[in-house]
Amino acid sequence: MRIGFVGLGAMGLPMTGHLIEAGHDVTVASRSRGPIDAALARGAHDGGSPRGVAEASDVVFVCVPNSPEVVEVVDGMLPALGQGTTVVDCSTIDPDVERAQHARVSDTGARYLDAPLSGGTAGAQRGVLTLMVGGDAATLAEVEPALAPFSGLVVHVGGPGMGQVVKLCNNLIYAAQMTATAEATAMAVKSGVDLHKLYEVLTHATGDCVAVRTRLPVPGVVEDSPASQGWQPGFMTDLMAKDLDLALAYAAKAEVPLVTTATARQLLTAAQSAGYGREDFSSVAKVVLALAGLAGAQ
């Protein structure tokens, strides 16, 4: 397939690599030159701009940080869009903004899907991402061969914007998990609990969750956790904070209380203020540990 990719960040670049390895003809654009050169070295073509990518592609993936960037990319692509082209937005953005992009692209005769991702950079590198897709089911069936190289699970969750709603639901749960994991870790450390034993129990008890399994926030307990890798981001604090802002704003319009989400967002704010914005979001535990007088446990 002729596939375009706009946005070669920590997720987009490995996703592009999988598409190239699968034999697709891939054209790329991104704001930073380094990732473009890395993609070209693997066999991609330089589209020069979102419009150039759209002109060269039948399916165009977009993977950028937030709503304004998605709108900007769609602005650039619109003159090149028409029948036979499908845009798939893998960003995490406001569901209502996404619905507006569905309408704008559909007005050109092209088709549009929102398909935000879950699995982090590790999932992107391994090609096992979960995609929650909003839009037309028949369109999804047609483009699924383009999703297969980097996905482990693709679920059609409803109409336009519903992929984004499901993604925000997922991330607010993940943030709550991490908040509880950070607090439990601080209490265990202060009490002198062997954290390897804590991990063994939690992963076989009702406290088991993804945050515990992958992000117990003390070095040396989980070998490949961010805490054991210098807090290198699988998912940055700044990005989780952005996603919770989106969830809180959307829920407010829907008149849904998000009490736990608001608490998790405040902890993320403290982590950002402490300079951890570009570290993995499990660095919120450093704030909790410091407040407990356990800064040395980090």
Side-chain angles (χ1 to χ4, degrees), residues 126-266:
R126 297 200 309 271
V128 294
L129 293 167
T130 294
L131 278 68
M132 47 223 84
V133 183
D136 177 63
T139 299
L140 171 58
E142 288 184 26
V143 303
E144 201 145 7
L147 308 178
F150 53 76
S151 64
L153 178 67
V154 178
V155 181
H156 182 245
V157 296
M162 295 307 290
Q164 298 296 347
V165 175
V166 172
K167 175 61 184 292
L168 296 182
C169 291
N170 178 81
N171 279 17
L172 70 86
I173 292 171
Y174 198 13
Q177 286 182 11
M178 193 64 241
T179 299
T181 300
E183 293 176 348
T185 300
M187 187 165 71
V189 170
K190 194 143 194 182
S191 302
V193 173
D194 182 330
L195 294 185
H196 290 86
K197 297 298 184 183
L198 174 71
Y199 181 77
E200 182 180 4
V201 169
L202 291 178
T203 55
H204 293 84
T206 53
D208 190 19
C209 63
V210 173
V212 166
R213 286 186 173 268
T214 65
R215 283 175 162 78
L216 199 78
V218 173
V221 180
V222 181
E223 182 178 350
D224 57 354
S225 70
S228 298
Q229 304 294 324
W231 303 98
Q232 294 179 16
F235 188 38
M236 281 197 302
T237 299
D238 285 343
L239 291 178
M240 179 60 91
K242 179 266 294 185
D243 289 356
L244 293 198
D245 286 342
L246 291 171
L248 289 164
Y250 188 77
K253 288 185 288 186
E255 298 183 345
V256 176
L258 299 185
V259 178
T260 302
T261 304
T263 300
R265 180 61 177 95
Q266 290 303 307

Side-chain angles (χ1 to χ4, degrees), residues 109-130:
R111 295 173 295 179
Y112 193 97
L113 297 170
D114 52 287
L117 315 162
S118 182
T121 55
Q125 290 161 2
R126 297 200 309 271
V128 294
L129 293 167
T130 294

